[in-house]
Structure formats: C-alpha cells, structure tokens
Amino acid sequence: MTVERYHIQVSDEILDDLQYRLQHIRWPDQLEGSNWERGTDLNYLKTLVSYWRDHYDWRAQEAKLNRFSQYRCNIDGIDVHFVHERGKGPNPLPLILTHGWPDSYLRYQKIIPLLTDPASHGGNPEDSFDVIVPSLPGFGFSGKPTQPGINNYRVSQMWAKLMTEELGYKKFAAAGGDVGSGVTRYLAATYPELLVGIHLTDVGIIRSLMTSHDELKLSEEERQYKKKASEWISQEGGYMSIQSTKPQSLAYGLSDSPVGLAAWLVEKFRSWSDCEGDLQQIFSKDELLTHIMIYWVTNTVGSSASIYYENSHTLPPLGRIEVPTGLALFPADILLPPKSWTKSNLNVTRWTTMPSGGHFTALEEPELLANDIREFYSPLRP
C-alpha cells in the first residue's frame, strides 16, 4: 500500500453500541471517605460518564480531527496512521513526534500549528517544521500487530522507513515523550546518520539505576532518583506491572466496558499532570473523552497495552546516544532524570527546566514545549 489519504469516519453502529453501554452501567461500591487514593473516584467518574452519555458530541470532535492532513501506509505488514502537516517557512525541517500511553497522537495536536507556522504564533518562519505525528502500532487508527515483538526498537525501524522510504526525507528531527521517548532514542541509536538531533521530555524509568547494587558508584542525585523511583513504582506502578506481564487479561474488561476504560485512563491523566488533583484545571471533559474515544472506537486498549509487555521481554539494550539531544523537563512529570546519568548516556546539548507542566507536556504547556523545540533545533538545521 502506498501512502493514502485517511479520513476518520466511525460507524453509527459503534456509537449506538457505546450509547447503549453508557446507559446500562453496573457501578462498583466505594468506601466512605475515600476518593482517588484507591483508584479513580466514583463520584468524579459518574459526573464524567453522565457528560459523555448526554452531552459529548463525537461527530463534532471527529470533524476537528479531520482538519489535520492524515494518511495511512503499510510498513512491515502494519498499517500506520499519521498526521503530516507541511511547514510554512523557507526551509521546513521534517520532525517526527512520537506519543506514549495512555495518550495517542492527540498528545501533539496543540503544538502542530505552533511548529508548522511559527510566524503566526510569535516565532520566526525560519524555525518552521514539516510535522509528522504517527499513531504507534496498536494505538488508535494504526493497525494492530498480529505477531509479537513490536517494541520501541522495532517501531524506530518502522519510523525510519516512514520518513525515508515513504515520505522521502534524507535527514530529519525526532521528538517524543513516554513510549515516544524510547522510540526516539532507539531511532537516534540505530540511525544516527538520519537524525539532525532528538528532543525528549523524559528518559523513562532508568532501570540500570534501579538495579544497581553498588551505591558508592552512584552520585547523590542518582541515589535519590533510585529511592524515589522505588517509591513511585510501589505506589503508582501497578498498571505497568499488569501491562508488562498480563496485558491480554486486562484487555477483556477494558475492551468491553467504556466506563472501565475511562477509569483506567483518567486516573493517569490526573496523577501524571500538573493539575494538583483537579483535572479540570488542565483538561476539559471533551479533551479527556476524545482521548478515551480514540481507544474505544478503534478497540485498541488491549493492543496498546501490549507494548509494555514487548518492551519488558523483547527490547534490546540501548547504548550511549551521540546524536545531539535536547531535554525539556517539566516539574510535575514522572521521575525527573538525574543530570549526571543523562549526560553520561546522551549527548545533551540543551537542558531546560520548565516552570510548570507534567507528563502530558504538549497538551499541558504547548507553547513552552514548542518554543523549546524550535530553539533546540535552530542551530542544528542543515
């Protein structure tokens, strides 16, 4: 399959089935006096689901999504969905942005115009990008893997083919967070000749520090990281343990219940964002529900969770990365990396500490992130 235009058009049958399910919910109990500490709060979720059932308009959101130039092509047997928006400037730099879980390609919807058309947003037209935002295999409108082994490394191979063979770029930039950070780092490690630089908002959980038994070889910052990471995994890492070991068992419930799906995803948007416990500070109900809907209408929550299993079981080791690397770290993100480890493992040429924002960087602080990406790549442009 060559590159073909793609238009989102969810069937009425899927939407009618969703409406039926939202009208026939069996709610669990919740202990008196508890709210979010044991998982998604029942009262909040009832309010969100009521809005979903009675007021949320998927067709309106679908029309907004279809304003982006979207395409699909087949790479290594998997149909890859992606946004491809051309830059408005004298020499746009191609930039591939990779999302993570539990978000989708929508993670980057707010920064696409800031990067493609900086002149319209207070920037310099010479800093424009051709922006490519794929959906990871098994996520949203991309196809689902039918064989095991689609991990961050394999996705990086697919992205290299997408950018060079399908879209014809000889060199390009790459950026990402969460799973997208891992994919971007494997791109840089495997195809350094293709990359002008990479931009990251995190480096994931640093397993080598977590498993280190020689405390004397660690810096004080690294020892603190190890302690905080252990605490975070014990308190917040349950989802990761399940998705890394038994994603198929989880998939049955989340694929069958829209309320179960919403509870599983919304809790992460609350815990990992800079919202101080109040989701509405950062995300509108429509925003949250559109993210949930991407998983629901495509039935991809099970296939998306599988990348955790693959990354835990089939991912090759990653060596030092020599490609120029920019880090933009947001204070409420998960486990900010120690600078000493990061500089030992990446060729860090820009390190920015942001004043606000959490894990969903491009959704929470699009202007801050877009500005940092533009400034990082400005001296690296061919």
Side-chain angles (χ1 to χ4, degrees):
M1 180 171 99
T2 56
V3 174
E4 296 178 347
R5 288 298 295 244
Y6 184 77
H7 184 82
I8 301 168
Q9 182 64 45
V10 175
S11 71
D12 289 336
E13 288 80 7
I14 289 175
L15 300 181
D16 291 344
D17 173 72
L18 171 62
Q19 189 62 218
Y20 176 84
R21 292 168 189 259
L22 293 177
Q23 291 172 352
H24 297 82
I25 302 165
R26 186 169 71 166
W27 292 101
D29 298 323
Q30 180 166 300
L31 293 175
E32 292 182 12
S34 65
N35 44 53
W36 287 91
E37 66 270 16
R38 296 169 183 259
T40 299
D41 177 62
L42 179 63
N43 293 323
Y44 172 83
L45 194 58
K46 283 186 173 181
T47 300
L48 182 67
V49 169
S50 176
Y51 179 85
W52 195 1
R53 183 187 62 235
D54 299 331
H55 302 290
Y56 177 79
D57 184 349
W58 166 256
R59 292 298 183 205
Q61 298 301 319
E62 188 178 66
K64 290 180 182 178
L65 299 181
N66 280 325
R67 292 175 189 168
F68 289 116
S69 299
Q70 297 174 96
Y71 302 86
R72 289 224 308 188
C73 67
N74 191 277
I75 303 175
D76 295 347
I78 299 173
D79 288 342
V80 174
H81 160 263
F82 61 98
V83 169
H84 188 191
E85 291 288 346
R86 300 283 183 176
K88 298 178 180 178
N91 190 26
L93 176 64
L95 170 67
I96 185 167
L97 300 170
T98 309
H99 66 85
W101 186 95
D103 49 84
S104 65
Y105 79 104
L106 298 188
R107 170 187 276 240
Y108 295 112
Q109 62 180 331
K110 293 179 181 177
I111 71 167
I112 291 173
L114 305 181
L115 296 173
T116 57
D117 188 12
S120 295
H121 300 89
N124 187 330
E126 294 183 359
D127 289 331
S128 71
F129 295 85
D130 284 353
V131 176
I132 298 90
V133 189
S135 295
L136 288 163
F139 284 70
F141 300 106
S142 280
K144 303 171 188 176
T146 57
Q147 301 293 326
I150 302 299
N151 53 35
N152 288 350
Y153 169 66
R154 288 283 303 280
V155 174
S156 75
Q157 293 179 309
M158 295 172 68
W159 280 193
K161 291 177 182 178
L162 172 64
M163 295 298 284
T164 59
E165 296 175 16
E166 302 295 339
L167 299 181
Y169 294 116
K170 290 183 172 59
K171 283 184 83 78
F172 56 92
D178 194 82
V179 173
S181 168
V183 171
T184 301
R185 282 178 282 140
Y186 273 95
L187 253 178
T190 312
Y191 304 98
E193 72 282 2
L194 298 180
L195 276 296
V196 300
I198 61 171
H199 188 278
L200 309 171
T201 54
D202 62 71
V203 295
I205 295 174
I206 305 170
R207 299 290 178 182
S208 61
L209 290 182
M210 295 290 297
T211 57
S212 173
H213 297 297
D214 192 346
E215 295 286 319
L216 295 177
K217 287 187 177 180
L218 302 181
S219 68
E220 177 59 27
E221 189 185 20
E222 289 169 343
R223 285 193 288 271
Q224 287 300 314
Y225 174 88
K226 183 178 178 181
K227 180 174 181 289
K228 288 179 182 177
S230 297
E231 292 171 352
W232 186 88
I233 288 173
S234 68
Q235 295 296 318
E236 292 284 339
Y239 79 98
M240 187 167 48
S241 297
I242 295 173
Q243 293 182 178
S244 297
T245 56
K246 298 292 186 288
Q248 187 65 31
S249 297
L250 180 69
Y252 296 110
L254 300 189
S255 297
D256 192 56
S257 168
V259 173
L261 174 65
W264 192 248
L265 302 185
V266 160
E267 179 216 315
K268 305 309 173 196
F269 279 95
R270 179 182 179 272
S271 296
W272 300 351
S273 67
D274 195 8
C275 72
E276 299 178 334
D278 181 6
L279 274 161
Q280 293 187 157
Q281 278 194 33
I282 304 293
F283 308 106
S284 69
K285 289 188 176 73
D286 280 349
E287 250 184 315
L288 289 172
L289 289 170
T290 300
H291 276 280
I292 294 164
M293 285 289 286
I294 295 291
Y295 285 90
W296 181 260
V297 301
T298 58
N299 194 13
T300 52
V301 67
S303 53
S304 71
S306 289
I307 200 165
Y308 282 81
Y309 185 96
E310 300 299 344
N311 284 338
S312 295
H313 290 80
T314 66
L315 196 61
L318 182 65
R320 176 177 163 81
I321 291 167
E322 299 297 343
V323 170
T325 302
L327 264 292
L329 301 177
F330 293 75
D333 200 354
I334 303 163
L335 298 176
L336 300 179
K339 186 176 282 191
S340 55
W341 181 93
T342 308
K343 290 198 168 185
S344 294
N345 288 273
L346 297 155
N347 177 19
V348 178
T349 61
R350 182 180 175 87
W351 180 285
T352 307
T353 301
M354 294 296 183
S356 59
H359 189 62
F360 305 100
T361 52
L363 287 170
E364 298 180 59
E365 297 288 356
E367 290 83 6
L368 289 178
L369 180 59
N371 287 339
D372 201 72
I373 290 173
R374 292 199 300 244
E375 290 178 16
F376 168 68
Y377 282 112
S378 182
L380 300 175
R381 287 174 176 265

